[in-house]
Every structure is written in structure tokens, then in C-alpha cells.
Amino acid sequence: MKSILLIGINNFGTMLAKKLQELGHQVLAVDRDEDRINAVLPLVTDAQIGDSTNEAFLRSLGINNFDVCIVTIGSDFQSSLETTSLLKELGGKLVVSRADREIQAKFLLKNGADEVIIPEKQIAEWAAIRYASNHILDYIRLDEDHAIYEVTVPAGWIGESIGQIDIPKRYGITILGIKQKGKMNLVVTPETILREGGTMLVLGEHKLMQKCFKI
């Protein structure tokens, strides 16, 4: 369990607060809008009305007591930038800030953010890869060249074992798990049989994935 300070209760901030609470973390939500605070209060451990660009207010929260500080302010970039900078100055251990554009991400990283998330960009990338292919069901980007994909078992592989197809050597990808009837099995051996209706969790380079699964 982690102690998380969440600043900015817009739609994204609210969804994030709800998920963090579901995962069992302690969440303090902060926003200057009373209505937003009242709306999110049932979803978090605690909530406060306040101006996150006010150093005295932030200091009163005890910033260094939080494991993670997340800034999700989306409509006012200047406030987001000031808040991010103050959080780091006041001892924020890990400051994560939201940006809408790449140029904003660069400014945030230069002014205290340890990490930056661009939700629209990340979802757009996921959606493009997910829905432009007949085989991909899910996708997690690891770096510029590698990703983990959940893909359907190709028709030509059904009934064959991983060893018979010689997948790692022939295609240069690694099978991390096999899902059948909604259940993931992470114990994969050369004797594992690929069955109809199943999916595979595979790790590899984008170009090798594209070649192997004709993405």
C-alpha cells in the first residue's frame, strides 16, 4: 500500500482516484473546486479544497510523507507547472505530472517532474495497434523497440506445440503465457500445445511481431 497525493480532480483524476482506491492505496485528493472535492470524497481516503500553486498550502500537506505525488491538472498548464515545481522543492519523492502535448512534457520534466504521462497519446497508440489488427487483443509498450502483446493463436499453429513450431528460434519472440477460456497460464514449455480459441502473451521487437503475426 502506498500513500498518494492526487492533485487535480477532473475526469482523468477521478478515474485515477477510483482505481487507486480499489487497489488499496491511501489517496488524498486536492482541488480548488469544492464541487469536485465533494464528488470525489467517497472514492478516496481524504480530500481537501486548496490551491496547489500556494506553497504554504502544499507545505501543510506534508509532501515528503507521500510515496507518490500525481498532478492531473489538465486545463491550466501554468498551474500544473507551478504545482509540479513546488512539489519537488518541498520534498516530493516521486512526482508524476500529466501533459496534453509533448512540449508540455518537456517543460514539466525540466521543472521537477520525475515522470510525465500523456493519456490521450498513450490511449491513441494503444487503440491504433489494437483495432488495426485482427490478431492483437492487448498491447503494453516497453520501449521504442519492444512490447508485450496479447495475440490470438494463428490458425496454422493450432494443435501444434511451441517446440514443434520452434517459435523463439524461428520468429525471435518469447511466449510468456497462454490464455485459454479466460485463464492465463504462465508455465510455458516446449511441450505446451496451442489450442483453438486461445491467446498468447508474447514479448518481442515490434518488427518481429509484425512479421510473425502479419500486423
Side-chain angles (χ1 to χ4, degrees), residues 3 93 135 144 163 170 185 200 209:
S3 177
K93 298 171 186 174
H135 303 288
E144 291 295 333
R170 185 176 177 185
N185 179 11
M200 303 180 297
M209 296 287 192

Side-chain angles (χ1 to χ4, degrees), residues 82-111:
E82 291 180 23
T83 299
T84 297
S85 180
L86 282 172
L87 286 170
K88 205 60 185 178
E89 289 177 11
L90 294 173
K93 298 171 186 174
L94 175 61
V95 179
V96 181
S97 298
R98 172 190 173 179
D100 291 329
R101 302 188 302 275
E102 292 287 353
I103 187 64
Q104 292 181 350
K106 291 180 180 179
F107 277 111
L108 288 165
L109 289 169
K110 288 182 179 179
N111 287 274

